[in-house]
Every structure is written in C-alpha cells, then in structure tokens.
Amino acid sequence: MRGADLTQRLLAFARKQTLQPRLVTLNDLMTETVAMLKRALGEAIEVSVLLDEELWPTMVDPSQVEDAVLNLAVNARDAMPNGGRLVLETCNVTLDADYVAFNPGLAEGDYVMLSVGDTGSGMPPEVVERVFEPFFTTKEKGKGTGLGLSMIYGFVKQSDGHIKIYSEPGHGTTVRIYL
C-alpha cells in the first residue's frame, strides 16, 4: 500500500497522473472538507473559513483539491504544535500583466483563488525557495516524505494554475492556489 501511494505521488509530481477535472464550486468542496479537517487537526487549532459568495465555478479535479487542502492543513498543524489558527479562503481574482511579469509561465486572466493560511512557525526565505522540490522536507527524519508540496505543485501546474507561498519565521505561512 505504501509503495502504491508513493507511486501515485510520484506520478502526480511528474504531472503524468490522469486528472478527472469537472466543473466545481470550490466553496462547496471547502464546506465538505472543513468537518474532516477539524477532526484531523484537533481542538487546539481553530479553523476559520472565508468563502466568496460570488465565487466562479472552476474546472478542476475535486479529489486533488481535497488532497491539497488536507496536506496543507496537516503541514499547518505540524507548524502549530501548541495550537493556532488555520484560515481557508476562496475568492475571484484577476491576475494582471504586472503580476504575470514576476511569475513566468503564468497567463493573465481570471482565476479562482484558494488560500490556506496558518499562524504557525513560518519558514525562512531559503526554505520557501525549496519547498516544491521532491523529497525536500522540513520535518524530522521519518515524519515526512517531502512529496506533499511537490504533489500539490504538480497538480496545480497540470491544471494550468499557479501556486504561491508567503511565509515569515514567527508569523505563519499562507499558500495561495490559483485555478
């Protein structure tokens, strides 16, 4: 089972996994996912949800979105061993030429943004630069495979999206996924 799971993760990272995109509203998906997250994160972590009521539908594989949110939430939990706050947010955004100029390979246009933020320990810039590398992990030996964020990166890129991480030591981390 672990070998099969690892193979699935590697395929996702390699962007060769077959996605099953369909038109979904991320708000509905987030509402369904929150109950599961609260159980997985424990009582020490407050989960807040900010959903744009006018959110556009988007073409995406819903199981990959759920996996991404769960992975980000578990990473957030690990960065908040004494508790904290996890914020899930959705909104419509238009990425303009200025933003695209600083993010090569990204097209201007309308996107649905899904944000997962925490009040955890945060990461220094040299770690943020490497988090999407396969097998790179900030966790102690035996606690992580280093494939979680690389899988999310692969899924987002395969879905013609964009992902950005904002983090500062002592001030938490926010991951924004644009689909």
Side-chain angles (χ1 to χ4, degrees):
M1 291 298 283
R2 287 185 53 102
D5 183 53
L6 181 60
T7 300
Q8 283 293 101
R9 289 172 182 235
L10 288 170
L11 287 172
F13 173 73
R15 299 187 206 139
K16 294 181 180 171
Q17 178 172 326
T18 303
L19 297 180
Q20 298 176 359
R22 65 176 203 248
L23 198 58
V24 297
T25 303
L26 290 183
N27 286 352
D28 295 340
L29 208 53
M30 290 305 94
T31 301
E32 294 170 8
T33 305
V34 168
M36 176 184 59
L37 282 180
K38 287 182 178 180
R39 288 190 304 272
L41 299 177
E43 293 179 14
I45 297 177
E46 174 192 346
V47 178
S48 298
V49 183
L50 306 167
L51 303 178
D52 183 338
E53 293 180 16
E54 303 294 322
L55 194 69
W56 303 316
T58 188
M59 187 66 78
V60 69
D61 184 327
S63 66
Q64 292 293 321
V65 173
E66 288 174 335
D67 288 350
V69 170
L70 181 59
N71 188 300
L72 292 170
V74 168
N75 286 350
R77 178 198 65 199
D78 293 347
M80 301 183 288
N82 299 317
R85 185 172 182 213
L86 179 77
V87 179
L88 301 174
E89 181 180 2
T90 61
C91 67
N92 300 318
V93 297
T94 300
L95 301 181
D96 61 14
D98 291 335
Y99 187 85
V100 169
F102 289 99
N103 295 280
L106 181 63
E108 288 182 54
D110 295 332
Y111 291 81
V112 171
M113 190 219 25
L114 167 62
S115 174
V116 179
D118 67 61
T119 59
S121 57
M123 298 177 285
E126 61 272 12
V127 171
V128 172
E129 289 176 11
R130 299 191 60 205
V131 294
F132 295 128
E133 293 176 14
F135 306 110
F136 177 79
T137 183
T138 59
K139 297 178 183 177
E140 63 188 63
K141 190 171 183 172
K143 294 285 183 179
T145 62
L147 290 174
L149 290 175
S150 62
M151 279 181 23
I152 295 169
Y153 180 86
F155 146 69
V156 169
K157 291 300 181 181
Q158 191 176 352
S159 300
D160 295 324
H162 176 64
I163 186 167
K164 195 79 169 178
I165 294 183
Y166 303 90
S167 189
E168 187 177 332
H171 296 284
T173 299
T174 298
V175 178
R176 292 185 179 150
I177 298 173
Y178 300 88
L179 301 166

